[in-house]
Amino acid sequence: MTFGSLFRPIDLVVGSVNAVVVIAWSLVQWELKSIDVQGLSENLGWIAMSVSVVVLFFRSAYPLAVTVATWAATIVYYPSSSTDGPMLSAFVIALYTLASLGRLVAASVIAAATFVIVVVSEVVSNFAHMTVSETLMLGGWIVAVPAIGAVVAHYRRYRAETLIALDEARRRSVAEERIRIARELHDAVGHHLSLINVQTAAALRKLRKDPGYRTEDVLAIVAETTQLSLRELRAMVGVLREAGEDSPTGPGPGLDDLPSLVDAARASGLDVELRVDGSAELPAAVDAAAYRVVQESLTNVMRHARASRVQVRVVTGTSTLAVAVADDGVGDAKGQKAAGNGLTGMRERAEGLGGTFDAGPREDGGFIVEATWPLEVAK
């Protein structure tokens, strides 16, 4: 055990103050010959006082042992010494420390035993040292000390549990934010890179067949897609750089941006039909989540489905928003089930806002993704 664990700064302060008060008070009484009742052994009284003063410095390291030691020293001191000094203070401090450190049962037992000893001894001596009211008052204080310590112990335990809960909440918040950022980057950048990959791969195939093939249109689409990707990345970085609780969790694209998303998919060679029924003012989180589900669905179609036609439908009802993306491809959804990608990410976006998600092969061929959200999202 190190020196720091034996002597806490507060223990050194409390022990030093107690030592100065007890010794100085006792010496003054001794010099003034302020004798209460003739003691049985003055030397034994001084030894008991010294023990109680010294052991109090170890009250935090050994709370029970110090309480028992000061209790025994106090019992020995008062019959032995002819001066009625503040010797009891060390025992009171040790008893409080024992209770405040959570040892309430031990503190209560010692306090009860002390109360019985004080009352019985005074009754037997016909209250030679204290009056009846003084005896009961002293006994009451001895009983109250563990109660005060118990209140302090409860507060310390509550504070420690609160700090642990806050730390866990902070860690959970950081983890959720990292997942959210990863999902945003995957959906936005992944989609644009998929478009670029499809366009460049198709251009390379055509160039191999026809070296005179002109690539201006393809390069224009790639340039526009790259510009869109950079714009979304700048928006994300701008949000991350803003500090404070009032900082936005966007900006980000929403369902109003679906036409440009569909146009980009069409430029890759897909026949995309967009149908929008109904309109309403959507919660920002729902608006962004619905857009990302459509975006990721189109990305997966281009990557995995080998489809030629895709239908995107958005229906806004009185209390629910629904989106569906259906294609006529092979319907196996390969590559969409890895954690943090594809179907998993879309499911998180839907269910995380109280919505539903379903995806799977269609009976007549192809694959369909369906998601719904309530128009009122709990904050």
Side-chain angles (χ1 to χ4, degrees):
M1 184 174 289
T2 63
F3 178 82
S5 60
L6 281 175
F7 300 101
R8 296 195 312 169
I10 187 63
D11 293 340
L12 293 175
V13 173
V14 172
S16 300
V17 172
N18 177 75
V20 170
V21 171
V22 171
I23 295 174
W25 192 325
S26 300
L27 288 175
V28 169
Q29 282 189 315
W30 181 264
E31 290 297 325
L32 295 177
K33 305 299 183 181
S34 177
I35 298 175
D36 183 21
V37 177
Q38 185 62 43
L40 300 176
S41 173
E42 297 297 338
N43 291 334
L44 183 59
W46 285 104
I47 292 173
M49 179 193 298
S50 301
V51 170
S52 70
V53 166
V54 172
V55 298
L56 192 63
F57 286 92
F58 302 89
R59 68 189 184 106
S60 295
Y62 306 102
L64 180 58
V66 170
T67 304
V68 172
T70 55
W71 179 71
T74 302
I75 292 176
V76 171
Y77 172 81
Y78 282 104
S80 302
S81 177
S82 58
T83 57
D84 190 11
M87 174 54 189
L88 190 63
S89 62
F91 169 63
V92 171
I93 294 172
L95 185 63
Y96 161 80
T97 303
L98 183 65
S100 67
L101 292 178
R103 308 287 292 275
L104 184 59
V105 174
S108 300
V109 170
I110 295 174
T114 305
F115 177 81
V116 171
I117 292 173
V118 169
V119 173
V120 170
S121 64
E122 288 301 315
V123 171
V124 171
S125 66
N126 197 24
F127 297 98
H129 306 92
M130 296 182 291
T131 64
V132 175
S133 60
E134 289 174 341
T135 301
L136 294 177
M137 185 178 295
L138 177 60
W141 273 108
I142 291 174
V143 172
V145 167
I148 297 172
V151 172
V152 174
H154 176 75
Y155 169 73
R156 289 174 176 172
R157 184 165 54 251
Y158 169 77
R159 185 177 62 179
E161 292 174 353
T162 301
L163 291 176
I164 292 174
L166 288 174
D167 184 63
E168 291 178 351
R170 182 188 62 80
R171 293 175 182 272
R172 184 168 57 252
S173 177
V174 170
E176 291 174 354
E177 186 64 12
R178 291 180 64 181
I179 293 174
R180 188 187 72 83
I181 293 172
R183 189 187 299 127
E184 290 292 330
L185 289 172
H186 169 266
D187 290 352
V189 179
H191 174 76
H192 294 308
L193 290 179
S194 295
L195 287 176
I196 293 172
N197 178 263
V198 170
Q199 292 293 332
T200 53
L204 285 173
R205 286 195 299 269
K206 291 179 180 179
L207 279 173
R208 291 190 185 100
K209 295 179 180 179
D210 180 11
Y213 173 71
R214 299 182 64 85
T215 59
E216 287 88 347
D217 293 339
V218 175
L219 292 176
I221 294 173
V222 170
E224 182 180 356
T225 305
T226 304
Q227 187 178 17
L228 290 174
S229 180
L230 289 173
R231 187 183 304 162
E232 288 203 37
L233 281 175
R234 290 192 188 101
M236 291 181 191
V237 172
V239 170
L240 294 175
R241 284 177 174 173
E242 293 187 31
E245 295 182 356
D246 296 331
S247 298
T249 55
L255 292 180
D256 289 341
D257 300 297
L258 282 184
S260 61
L261 181 67
V262 168
D263 289 341
R266 287 171 179 159
S268 69
L270 281 175
D271 179 11
V272 184
E273 176 189 351
L274 174 62
R275 180 177 175 182
V276 178
D277 296 325
S279 63
E281 184 176 351
L282 303 176
V286 171
D287 193 21
Y291 175 88
R292 292 303 188 193
V293 167
V294 175
Q295 183 184 54
E296 179 63 17
S297 299
L298 291 175
T299 301
N300 288 333
V301 170
M302 290 184 288
R303 284 178 175 174
H304 313 292
R306 299 194 297 276
S308 59
R309 189 171 185 275
V310 182
Q311 183 182 54
V312 178
R313 186 175 182 186
V314 179
V315 179
T316 304
T318 56
S319 61
T320 305
L321 169 70
V323 300
V325 180
D327 65 73
D328 62 353
V330 295
D332 57 4
K334 291 181 179 178
Q336 298 187 41
K337 297 182 180 180
N341 300 290
L343 298 180
T344 301
M346 289 188 280
R347 184 180 299 278
E348 290 173 352
R349 288 189 180 279
E351 296 179 351
L353 295 173
T356 63
F357 179 83
D358 188 35
R362 301 166 65 190
E363 293 182 359
D364 56 349
F367 198 83
I368 185 170
V369 172
E370 297 176 300
T372 65
W373 292 267
L375 295 186
E376 294 185 3
V377 179
K379 296 183 179 180

